[in-house]
PDB file of all heavy atoms in Angstrom:
ATOM      1  N   PRO W1276     -26.564 119.294   7.118  1.00 86.00           N
ATOM      2  CA  PRO W1276     -26.315 120.700   6.783  1.00 86.00           C
ATOM      3  C   PRO W1276     -26.009 120.952   5.312  1.00 86.00           C
ATOM      4  O   PRO W1276     -26.237 122.042   4.804  1.00 86.00           O
ATOM      5  CB  PRO W1276     -25.099 121.059   7.643  1.00 86.00           C
ATOM      6  CG  PRO W1276     -25.147 120.112   8.774  1.00 86.00           C
ATOM      7  CD  PRO W1276     -25.721 118.843   8.223  1.00 86.00           C
ATOM      8  N   THR W1277     -25.504 119.952   4.602  1.00 90.00           N
ATOM      9  CA  THR W1277     -25.213 120.162   3.188  1.00 90.00           C
ATOM     10  C   THR W1277     -26.486 120.472   2.399  1.00 90.00           C
ATOM     11  O   THR W1277     -26.437 121.169   1.384  1.00 90.00           O
ATOM     12  CB  THR W1277     -24.453 118.956   2.597  1.00 90.00           C
ATOM     13  OG1 THR W1277     -23.932 119.317   1.335  1.00 90.00           O
ATOM     14  CG2 THR W1277     -25.326 117.751   2.469  1.00 90.00           C
ATOM     15  N   ALA W1278     -27.620 119.982   2.872  1.00 91.00           N
ATOM     16  CA  ALA W1278     -28.888 120.290   2.206  1.00 91.00           C
ATOM     17  C   ALA W1278     -29.210 121.778   2.315  1.00 91.00           C
ATOM     18  O   ALA W1278     -29.722 122.379   1.369  1.00 91.00           O
ATOM     19  CB  ALA W1278     -30.015 119.464   2.794  1.00 91.00           C
ATOM     20  N   TYR W1279     -28.899 122.367   3.462  1.00 92.00           N
ATOM     21  CA  TYR W1279     -29.139 123.806   3.614  1.00 92.00           C
ATOM     22  C   TYR W1279     -28.200 124.625   2.735  1.00 92.00           C
ATOM     23  O   TYR W1279     -28.596 125.640   2.170  1.00 92.00           O
ATOM     24  CB  TYR W1279     -29.002 124.219   5.077  1.00 92.00           C
ATOM     25  CG  TYR W1279     -30.082 123.662   5.944  1.00 92.00           C
ATOM     26  CD1 TYR W1279     -29.783 122.828   7.002  1.00 92.00           C
ATOM     27  CD2 TYR W1279     -31.414 123.957   5.703  1.00 92.00           C
ATOM     28  CE1 TYR W1279     -30.782 122.306   7.805  1.00 92.00           C
ATOM     29  CE2 TYR W1279     -32.421 123.447   6.492  1.00 92.00           C
ATOM     30  CZ  TYR W1279     -32.093 122.622   7.541  1.00 92.00           C
ATOM     31  OH  TYR W1279     -33.091 122.107   8.325  1.00 92.00           O
ATOM     32  N   PHE W1280     -26.952 124.191   2.632  1.00 94.00           N
ATOM     33  CA  PHE W1280     -26.012 124.894   1.759  1.00 94.00           C
ATOM     34  C   PHE W1280     -26.478 124.847   0.302  1.00 94.00           C
ATOM     35  O   PHE W1280     -26.454 125.849  -0.411  1.00 94.00           O
ATOM     36  CB  PHE W1280     -24.608 124.300   1.858  1.00 94.00           C
ATOM     37  CG  PHE W1280     -23.943 124.502   3.186  1.00 94.00           C
ATOM     38  CD1 PHE W1280     -23.277 123.464   3.797  1.00 94.00           C
ATOM     39  CD2 PHE W1280     -23.976 125.727   3.823  1.00 94.00           C
ATOM     40  CE1 PHE W1280     -22.653 123.635   5.023  1.00 94.00           C
ATOM     41  CE2 PHE W1280     -23.363 125.911   5.052  1.00 94.00           C
ATOM     42  CZ  PHE W1280     -22.698 124.868   5.646  1.00 94.00           C
ATOM     43  N   MET W1281     -26.913 123.669  -0.127  1.00 94.00           N
ATOM     44  CA  MET W1281     -27.334 123.539  -1.524  1.00 94.00           C
ATOM     45  C   MET W1281     -28.668 124.250  -1.771  1.00 94.00           C
ATOM     46  O   MET W1281     -28.872 124.817  -2.847  1.00 94.00           O
ATOM     47  CB  MET W1281     -27.436 122.061  -1.910  1.00 94.00           C
ATOM     48  CG  MET W1281     -26.089 121.375  -1.983  1.00 94.00           C
ATOM     49  SD  MET W1281     -24.934 122.191  -3.110  1.00 94.00           S
ATOM     50  CE  MET W1281     -25.734 121.921  -4.672  1.00 94.00           C
ATOM     51  N   THR W1282     -29.557 124.237  -0.787  1.00 95.00           N
ATOM     52  CA  THR W1282     -30.806 124.991  -0.918  1.00 95.00           C
ATOM     53  C   THR W1282     -30.507 126.473  -1.093  1.00 95.00           C
ATOM     54  O   THR W1282     -31.058 127.142  -1.972  1.00 95.00           O
ATOM     55  CB  THR W1282     -31.695 124.779   0.320  1.00 95.00           C
ATOM     56  OG1 THR W1282     -32.034 123.392   0.395  1.00 95.00           O
ATOM     57  CG2 THR W1282     -32.959 125.600   0.244  1.00 95.00           C
ATOM     58  N   GLY W1283     -29.619 126.991  -0.264  1.00 95.00           N
ATOM     59  CA  GLY W1283     -29.236 128.395  -0.381  1.00 95.00           C
ATOM     60  C   GLY W1283     -28.541 128.697  -1.688  1.00 95.00           C
ATOM     61  O   GLY W1283     -28.754 129.762  -2.287  1.00 95.00           O
ATOM     62  N   ALA W1284     -27.711 127.764  -2.167  1.00 96.00           N
ATOM     63  CA  ALA W1284     -27.011 127.976  -3.432  1.00 96.00           C
ATOM     64  C   ALA W1284     -27.998 128.037  -4.597  1.00 96.00           C
ATOM     65  O   ALA W1284     -27.877 128.898  -5.479  1.00 96.00           O
ATOM     66  CB  ALA W1284     -25.980 126.870  -3.659  1.00 96.00           C
ATOM     67  N   PHE W1285     -28.968 127.137  -4.614  1.00 96.00           N
ATOM     68  CA  PHE W1285     -29.963 127.176  -5.690  1.00 96.00           C
ATOM     69  C   PHE W1285     -30.843 128.416  -5.593  1.00 96.00           C
ATOM     70  O   PHE W1285     -31.214 128.998  -6.610  1.00 96.00           O
ATOM     71  CB  PHE W1285     -30.818 125.900  -5.694  1.00 96.00           C
ATOM     72  CG  PHE W1285     -30.176 124.765  -6.429  1.00 96.00           C
ATOM     73  CD1 PHE W1285     -29.705 123.665  -5.739  1.00 96.00           C
ATOM     74  CD2 PHE W1285     -30.026 124.792  -7.803  1.00 96.00           C
ATOM     75  CE1 PHE W1285     -29.103 122.621  -6.402  1.00 96.00           C
ATOM     76  CE2 PHE W1285     -29.430 123.753  -8.486  1.00 96.00           C
ATOM     77  CZ  PHE W1285     -28.956 122.657  -7.780  1.00 96.00           C
ATOM     78  N   ALA W1286     -31.159 128.839  -4.376  1.00 96.00           N
ATOM     79  CA  ALA W1286     -31.937 130.073  -4.216  1.00 96.00           C
ATOM     80  C   ALA W1286     -31.131 131.283  -4.682  1.00 96.00           C
ATOM     81  O   ALA W1286     -31.677 132.182  -5.339  1.00 96.00           O
ATOM     82  CB  ALA W1286     -32.358 130.240  -2.764  1.00 96.00           C
ATOM     83  N   ALA W1287     -29.841 131.303  -4.372  1.00 96.00           N
ATOM     84  CA  ALA W1287     -28.987 132.411  -4.816  1.00 96.00           C
ATOM     85  C   ALA W1287     -28.856 132.423  -6.337  1.00 96.00           C
ATOM     86  O   ALA W1287     -28.876 133.484  -6.965  1.00 96.00           O
ATOM     87  CB  ALA W1287     -27.608 132.315  -4.173  1.00 96.00           C
ATOM     88  N   PHE W1288     -28.732 131.235  -6.945  1.00 96.00           N
ATOM     89  CA  PHE W1288     -28.635 131.177  -8.403  1.00 96.00           C
ATOM     90  C   PHE W1288     -29.946 131.611  -9.054  1.00 96.00           C
ATOM     91  O   PHE W1288     -29.944 132.316 -10.064  1.00 96.00           O
ATOM     92  CB  PHE W1288     -28.245 129.771  -8.854  1.00 96.00           C
ATOM     93  CG  PHE W1288     -27.949 129.681 -10.320  1.00 96.00           C
ATOM     94  CD1 PHE W1288     -26.983 130.482 -10.897  1.00 96.00           C
ATOM     95  CD2 PHE W1288     -28.634 128.804 -11.124  1.00 96.00           C
ATOM     96  CE1 PHE W1288     -26.709 130.405 -12.247  1.00 96.00           C
ATOM     97  CE2 PHE W1288     -28.375 128.714 -12.467  1.00 96.00           C
ATOM     98  CZ  PHE W1288     -27.403 129.512 -13.046  1.00 96.00           C
ATOM     99  N   GLY W1289     -31.071 131.200  -8.473  1.00 96.00           N
ATOM    100  CA  GLY W1289     -32.365 131.663  -8.980  1.00 96.00           C
ATOM    101  C   GLY W1289     -32.509 133.170  -8.845  1.00 96.00           C
ATOM    102  O   GLY W1289     -33.025 133.840  -9.737  1.00 96.00           O
ATOM    103  N   GLY W1290     -32.040 133.721  -7.718  1.00 95.00           N
ATOM    104  CA  GLY W1290     -32.056 135.171  -7.545  1.00 95.00           C
ATOM    105  C   GLY W1290     -31.157 135.882  -8.540  1.00 95.00           C
ATOM    106  O   GLY W1290     -31.491 136.969  -9.031  1.00 95.00           O
ATOM    107  N   LEU W1291     -30.018 135.268  -8.844  1.00 95.00           N
ATOM    108  CA  LEU W1291     -29.127 135.845  -9.851  1.00 95.00           C
ATOM    109  C   LEU W1291     -29.793 135.867 -11.225  1.00 95.00           C
ATOM    110  O   LEU W1291     -29.742 136.883 -11.938  1.00 95.00           O
ATOM    111  CB  LEU W1291     -27.824 135.050  -9.895  1.00 95.00           C
ATOM    112  CG  LEU W1291     -26.769 135.486 -10.901  1.00 95.00           C
ATOM    113  CD1 LEU W1291     -26.294 136.902 -10.606  1.00 95.00           C
ATOM    114  CD2 LEU W1291     -25.605 134.519 -10.892  1.00 95.00           C
ATOM    115  N   LEU W1292     -30.445 134.764 -11.589  1.00 94.00           N
ATOM    116  CA  LEU W1292     -31.161 134.731 -12.865  1.00 94.00           C
ATOM    117  C   LEU W1292     -32.287 135.756 -12.898  1.00 94.00           C
ATOM    118  O   LEU W1292     -32.502 136.429 -13.913  1.00 94.00           O
ATOM    119  CB  LEU W1292     -31.710 133.330 -13.127  1.00 94.00           C
ATOM    120  CG  LEU W1292     -30.683 132.237 -13.397  1.00 94.00           C
ATOM    121  CD1 LEU W1292     -31.374 130.888 -13.521  1.00 94.00           C
ATOM    122  CD2 LEU W1292     -29.871 132.542 -14.626  1.00 94.00           C
ATOM    123  N   TYR W1293     -33.002 135.892 -11.787  1.00 93.00           N
ATOM    124  CA  TYR W1293     -34.088 136.868 -11.717  1.00 93.00           C
ATOM    125  C   TYR W1293     -33.556 138.296 -11.839  1.00 93.00           C
ATOM    126  O   TYR W1293     -34.156 139.130 -12.512  1.00 93.00           O
ATOM    127  CB  TYR W1293     -34.864 136.702 -10.406  1.00 93.00           C
ATOM    128  CG  TYR W1293     -36.059 137.607 -10.295  1.00 93.00           C
ATOM    129  CD1 TYR W1293     -37.201 137.371 -11.051  1.00 93.00           C
ATOM    130  CD2 TYR W1293     -36.043 138.712  -9.450  1.00 93.00           C
ATOM    131  CE1 TYR W1293     -38.297 138.204 -10.960  1.00 93.00           C
ATOM    132  CE2 TYR W1293     -37.132 139.548  -9.351  1.00 93.00           C
ATOM    133  CZ  TYR W1293     -38.261 139.287 -10.111  1.00 93.00           C
ATOM    134  OH  TYR W1293     -39.343 140.136 -10.023  1.00 93.00           O
ATOM    135  N   SER W1294     -32.428 138.572 -11.201  1.00 93.00           N
ATOM    136  CA  SER W1294     -31.867 139.920 -11.286  1.00 93.00           C
ATOM    137  C   SER W1294     -31.389 140.226 -12.705  1.00 93.00           C
ATOM    138  O   SER W1294     -31.473 141.373 -13.150  1.00 93.00           O
ATOM    139  CB  SER W1294     -30.726 140.102 -10.283  1.00 93.00           C
ATOM    140  OG  SER W1294     -29.617 139.303 -10.620  1.00 93.00           O
ATOM    141  N   VAL W1295     -30.915 139.222 -13.421  1.00 91.00           N
ATOM    142  CA  VAL W1295     -30.528 139.441 -14.822  1.00 91.00           C
ATOM    143  C   VAL W1295     -31.780 139.691 -15.659  1.00 91.00           C
ATOM    144  O   VAL W1295     -31.804 140.584 -16.515  1.00 91.00           O
ATOM    145  CB  VAL W1295     -29.725 138.238 -15.358  1.00 91.00           C
ATOM    146  CG1 VAL W1295     -29.560 138.300 -16.861  1.00 91.00           C
ATOM    147  CG2 VAL W1295     -28.366 138.156 -14.679  1.00 91.00           C
ATOM    148  N   LYS W1296     -32.823 138.911 -15.421  1.00 91.00           N
ATOM    149  CA  LYS W1296     -34.059 139.061 -16.192  1.00 91.00           C
ATOM    150  C   LYS W1296     -34.703 140.428 -15.965  1.00 91.00           C
ATOM    151  O   LYS W1296     -35.214 141.046 -16.900  1.00 91.00           O
ATOM    152  CB  LYS W1296     -35.044 137.957 -15.809  1.00 91.00           C
ATOM    153  CG  LYS W1296     -36.316 137.980 -16.631  1.00 91.00           C
ATOM    154  CD  LYS W1296     -37.215 136.813 -16.294  1.00 91.00           C
ATOM    155  CE  LYS W1296     -38.457 136.857 -17.144  1.00 91.00           C
ATOM    156  NZ  LYS W1296     -39.358 135.746 -16.851  1.00 91.00           N
ATOM    157  N   GLN W1297     -34.668 140.909 -14.720  1.00 90.00           N
ATOM    158  CA  GLN W1297     -35.292 142.199 -14.404  1.00 90.00           C
ATOM    159  C   GLN W1297     -34.348 143.383 -14.624  1.00 90.00           C
ATOM    160  O   GLN W1297     -34.720 144.514 -14.341  1.00 90.00           O
ATOM    161  CB  GLN W1297     -35.776 142.187 -12.951  1.00 90.00           C
ATOM    162  CG  GLN W1297     -36.853 141.187 -12.673  1.00 90.00           C
ATOM    163  CD  GLN W1297     -38.102 141.450 -13.506  1.00 90.00           C
ATOM    164  OE1 GLN W1297     -38.500 142.592 -13.697  1.00 90.00           O
ATOM    165  NE2 GLN W1297     -38.701 140.392 -14.020  1.00 90.00           N
ATOM    166  N   ASP W1298     -33.143 143.111 -15.108  1.00 88.00           N
ATOM    167  CA  ASP W1298     -32.140 144.133 -15.365  1.00 88.00           C
ATOM    168  C   ASP W1298     -31.871 144.952 -14.095  1.00 88.00           C
ATOM    169  O   ASP W1298     -31.889 146.176 -14.093  1.00 88.00           O
ATOM    170  CB  ASP W1298     -32.560 145.040 -16.522  1.00 88.00           C
ATOM    171  CG  ASP W1298     -31.385 145.802 -17.105  1.00 88.00           C
ATOM    172  OD1 ASP W1298     -30.255 145.295 -17.000  1.00 88.00           O
ATOM    173  OD2 ASP W1298     -31.605 146.906 -17.640  1.00 88.00           O
ATOM    174  N   ALA W1299     -31.628 144.224 -13.012  1.00 90.00           N
ATOM    175  CA  ALA W1299     -31.347 144.846 -11.713  1.00 90.00           C
ATOM    176  C   ALA W1299     -29.968 145.508 -11.738  1.00 90.00           C
ATOM    177  O   ALA W1299     -29.144 145.201 -12.613  1.00 90.00           O
ATOM    178  CB  ALA W1299     -31.395 143.786 -10.617  1.00 90.00           C
ATOM    179  N   PRO W1300     -29.710 146.402 -10.806  1.00 93.00           N
ATOM    180  CA  PRO W1300     -28.387 147.024 -10.743  1.00 93.00           C
ATOM    181  C   PRO W1300     -27.275 145.987 -10.578  1.00 93.00           C
ATOM    182  O   PRO W1300     -27.491 144.889 -10.035  1.00 93.00           O
ATOM    183  CB  PRO W1300     -28.461 147.929  -9.520  1.00 93.00           C
ATOM    184  CG  PRO W1300     -29.914 148.170  -9.304  1.00 93.00           C
ATOM    185  CD  PRO W1300     -30.614 146.950  -9.807  1.00 93.00           C
ATOM    186  N   THR W1301     -26.099 146.338 -11.020  1.00 94.00           N
ATOM    187  CA  THR W1301     -24.967 145.420 -10.993  1.00 94.00           C
ATOM    188  C   THR W1301     -24.645 144.961  -9.577  1.00 94.00           C
ATOM    189  O   THR W1301     -24.204 143.830  -9.371  1.00 94.00           O
ATOM    190  CB  THR W1301     -23.738 146.098 -11.627  1.00 94.00           C
ATOM    191  OG1 THR W1301     -24.092 146.561 -12.930  1.00 94.00           O
ATOM    192  CG2 THR W1301     -22.581 145.133 -11.751  1.00 94.00           C
ATOM    193  N   GLY W1302     -24.857 145.813  -8.595  1.00 94.00           N
ATOM    194  CA  GLY W1302     -24.580 145.435  -7.208  1.00 94.00           C
ATOM    195  C   GLY W1302     -25.367 144.222  -6.762  1.00 94.00           C
ATOM    196  O   GLY W1302     -24.850 143.374  -6.027  1.00 94.00           O
ATOM    197  N   TRP W1303     -26.622 144.122  -7.178  1.00 94.00           N
ATOM    198  CA  TRP W1303     -27.442 142.957  -6.828  1.00 94.00           C
ATOM    199  C   TRP W1303     -26.894 141.696  -7.484  1.00 94.00           C
ATOM    200  O   TRP W1303     -26.860 140.629  -6.869  1.00 94.00           O
ATOM    201  CB  TRP W1303     -28.889 143.155  -7.249  1.00 94.00           C
ATOM    202  CG  TRP W1303     -29.638 144.049  -6.325  1.00 94.00           C
ATOM    203  CD1 TRP W1303     -29.985 145.342  -6.539  1.00 94.00           C
ATOM    204  CD2 TRP W1303     -30.112 143.720  -5.016  1.00 94.00           C
ATOM    205  NE1 TRP W1303     -30.651 145.836  -5.455  1.00 94.00           N
ATOM    206  CE2 TRP W1303     -30.750 144.868  -4.507  1.00 94.00           C
ATOM    207  CE3 TRP W1303     -30.063 142.576  -4.242  1.00 94.00           C
ATOM    208  CZ2 TRP W1303     -31.318 144.886  -3.244  1.00 94.00           C
ATOM    209  CZ3 TRP W1303     -30.636 142.600  -2.984  1.00 94.00           C
ATOM    210  CH2 TRP W1303     -31.256 143.736  -2.503  1.00 94.00           C
ATOM    211  N   ARG W1304     -26.475 141.808  -8.723  1.00 94.00           N
ATOM    212  CA  ARG W1304     -25.932 140.644  -9.427  1.00 94.00           C
ATOM    213  C   ARG W1304     -24.650 140.164  -8.758  1.00 94.00           C
ATOM    214  O   ARG W1304     -24.442 138.970  -8.592  1.00 94.00           O
ATOM    215  CB  ARG W1304     -25.668 140.990 -10.883  1.00 94.00           C
ATOM    216  CG  ARG W1304     -26.925 141.315 -11.646  1.00 94.00           C
ATOM    217  CD  ARG W1304     -26.610 141.707 -13.050  1.00 94.00           C
ATOM    218  NE  ARG W1304     -27.767 142.314 -13.676  1.00 94.00           N
ATOM    219  CZ  ARG W1304     -27.780 142.738 -14.907  1.00 94.00           C
ATOM    220  NH1 ARG W1304     -26.710 142.655 -15.649  1.00 94.00           N
ATOM    221  NH2 ARG W1304     -28.875 143.275 -15.406  1.00 94.00           N
ATOM    222  N   ILE W1305     -23.807 141.111  -8.380  1.00 95.00           N
ATOM    223  CA  ILE W1305     -22.560 140.750  -7.704  1.00 95.00           C
ATOM    224  C   ILE W1305     -22.858 140.111  -6.353  1.00 95.00           C
ATOM    225  O   ILE W1305     -22.231 139.114  -5.971  1.00 95.00           O
ATOM    226  CB  ILE W1305     -21.657 141.989  -7.561  1.00 95.00           C
ATOM    227  CG1 ILE W1305     -21.162 142.431  -8.934  1.00 95.00           C
ATOM    228  CG2 ILE W1305     -20.493 141.715  -6.622  1.00 95.00           C
ATOM    229  CD1 ILE W1305     -20.436 143.755  -8.943  1.00 95.00           C
TER     230      ILE W1305
END
C-alpha cells in the first residue's frame, strides 16, 4: 500500500505544479 500512497503523493505534487503553471485559482492549489 505504500506504493499507492507515494503514487498519489507524486500525482498530487505534479497537479500542484501544473496548477501553479496554469495560474489556477488558489482553491485548487490549496
Side-chain angles (χ1 to χ4, degrees):
T1277 193
Y1279 292 120
F1280 293 135
M1281 291 304 294
T1282 298
F1285 276 110
F1288 188 57
L1291 179 62
L1292 292 175
Y1293 184 73
S1294 67
V1295 168
K1296 184 176 181 180
Q1297 296 299 320
D1298 199 27
T1301 306
W1303 283 104
R1304 295 177 193 181
I1305 292 171

